[in-house]
Amino acid sequence: MRPDYRTRFAPSPTGLLHLGHAFSALTAWDRAQAVGGSFLLRMEDIDRPRCRPEFEQAIYEDLQWLGLSWPRPFRQSDRMGSYRAALGRLGMSGLIYPCRCTRADIKAALSAPQEGVPVGPDAVIYPGTCRGRGMEEAGPDDALRLDMRRAVASLGNAGFQENGPLYPGWHRLDPDQLVAELGDVVLARRDIGTSYHVAVVVDDAAQRVTEVVRGVDLFSATPIHRLLQVLLELPHPNYWHHDLIRDEHGKRLAKRDDARAIRAYRAEGATPEDIRRMVGL
Ligand code: GLU
């Protein structure tokens, strides 16, 4: 038994939960249950225009129907002050800079000498046009980017423990790889004032999560999260990345696949046990 084990499910209320979400939530729940630990919930609703209260309500209902329960959930829209504080700290350390480039600017800068466009989990690798601008120059419409070259100087031997079935083991962070494959990632979007990366790291620490259970599509973002934990001196959880549930054509399920929504199966009379079976649990 490990009562100190804490995991979470962190959906964005931008659509109905589908079988892929059920798999993720149930995997986290089962892992917590197995050791007598805690299962927590977090609404990742920073992207306000895309989030809807009725989806948030539907998430609570569907998860309850599946048999899950949780203490008072976190809502990221209530926590903007904590994200600003984290960004302020990175700013004081000279690790972020304001960027006013549009997508078109970035594309133009990249098409000059390079062959093709390097692609990271956040789309293209930023060519560094605004790097070197001071935070005192930040305008209200600027994004904030991490100066990756500077940031990796603090990395030391940092890595993360992956417990999931796909890439188990210790993954040491490689500074050169972070610079080459991720580059100066956006830490505050101009429209929402923060980013998924900052919010997830700050909240996993605030919720005292000891193991992050989530889809393998986020495995490539984990080095960014681990780096931010180092820079912000936050405790670091272990990770469990699971495979994605796919449709019969091998395509991963998306929120717009309403046909696979948990609601749709419920309406057809499926039981929570049927859902478990469908996702292979
Ligand atoms: N909010 C993210 C999603 O719905 C999950 C983030 C995470 O688990 O770290 O895909």
Side-chain angles (χ1 to χ4, degrees):
M1 284 291 143
R2 287 204 25 224
D4 57 331
Y5 177 95
R6 293 166 71 84
T7 190
R8 62 13 174 227
F9 177 56
S12 298
T14 55
L16 294 172
L17 295 187
H18 55 59
L19 287 182
H21 297 106
F23 180 56
S24 202
L26 287 166
T27 301
W29 170 262
D30 288 353
R31 288 189 57 72
Q33 290 292 104
V35 295
S38 308
F39 170 87
L40 309 168
L41 184 63
R42 180 165 80 228
M43 284 295 151
E44 300 215 321
D45 59 350
I46 48 178
D47 198 347
R48 295 308 288 164
R50 292 182 56 228
C51 296
R52 302 244 187 294
E54 58 272 27
F55 289 138
E56 182 171 336
Q57 211 43 52
I59 290 174
Y60 296 133
E61 280 172 30
D62 286 344
L63 293 177
Q64 267 160 3
W65 176 79
L66 281 172
L68 314 193
S69 58
W70 51 88
R72 197 180 144 80
F74 263 46
R75 292 177 76 227
Q76 290 192 325
S77 52
D78 296 334
R79 298 189 33 79
M80 295 305 281
S82 306
Y83 311 144
R84 266 194 298 276
L87 287 161
R89 183 164 168 178
L90 297 172
M92 295 290 281
S93 317
L95 293 170
I96 52 176
Y97 61 87
C99 172
R100 56 166 74 118
C101 294
T102 61
R103 270 173 218 270
D105 292 337
I106 296 173
K107 217 167 148 206
L110 283 170
S111 64
Q114 272 106 334
E115 279 276 300
V117 175
V119 175
D122 283 354
V124 297
I125 305 290
Y126 181 61
T129 319
C130 289
R131 193 183 300 135
R133 283 180 72 208
M135 283 301 284
E136 67 290 348
E137 296 173 59
D141 293 330
D142 289 354
L144 300 176
R145 287 185 182 272
L146 182 66
D147 186 333
M148 188 60 92
R149 276 169 231 232
R150 274 199 198 177
V152 295
S154 324
L155 214 48
N157 275 327
F160 62 92
Q161 174 63 33
E162 171 66 35
N163 293 333
L166 302 169
Y167 306 107
W170 178 254
H171 295 262
R172 200 173 97 83
L173 265 50
D174 175 350
D176 296 333
Q177 208 174 346
L178 280 160
V179 170
E181 293 177 14
L182 299 166
D184 291 359
V185 290
V186 170
L187 292 189
R189 273 166 48 178
R190 52 172 64 86
D191 55 340
I192 58 177
T194 183
S195 60
Y196 160 64
H197 301 311
V198 167
V200 82
V201 159
V202 168
D203 285 350
D204 282 334
Q207 290 188 292
R208 292 181 287 118
V209 167
T210 61
E211 185 180 78
V212 170
V213 175
R214 63 186 179 191
V216 72
D217 52 325
L218 291 168
F219 185 78
S220 59
T222 307
I224 304 175
H225 301 169
R226 184 65 191 102
L227 173 60
L228 288 175
Q229 287 152 3
V230 172
L231 301 175
L232 295 167
E233 295 182 285
L234 297 172
H236 58 98
N238 296 331
Y239 290 84
W240 177 291
H241 289 94
H242 58 72
D243 214 346
L244 304 176
I245 301 286
R246 297 177 186 277
D247 66 15
E248 58 277 16
H249 309 293
K251 220 170 97 288
R252 62 178 283 207
L253 300 184
K255 291 240 170 71
R256 56 192 172 277
D257 288 334
D258 275 354
R260 318 215 175 238
I262 298 173
R263 304 241 127 176
Y265 291 107
R266 279 174 69 178
E268 286 167 10
T271 65
E273 291 67 37
D274 295 331
I275 302 286
R276 273 188 178 270
R277 247 190 315 276
M278 280 182 228
V279 298
L281 287 172

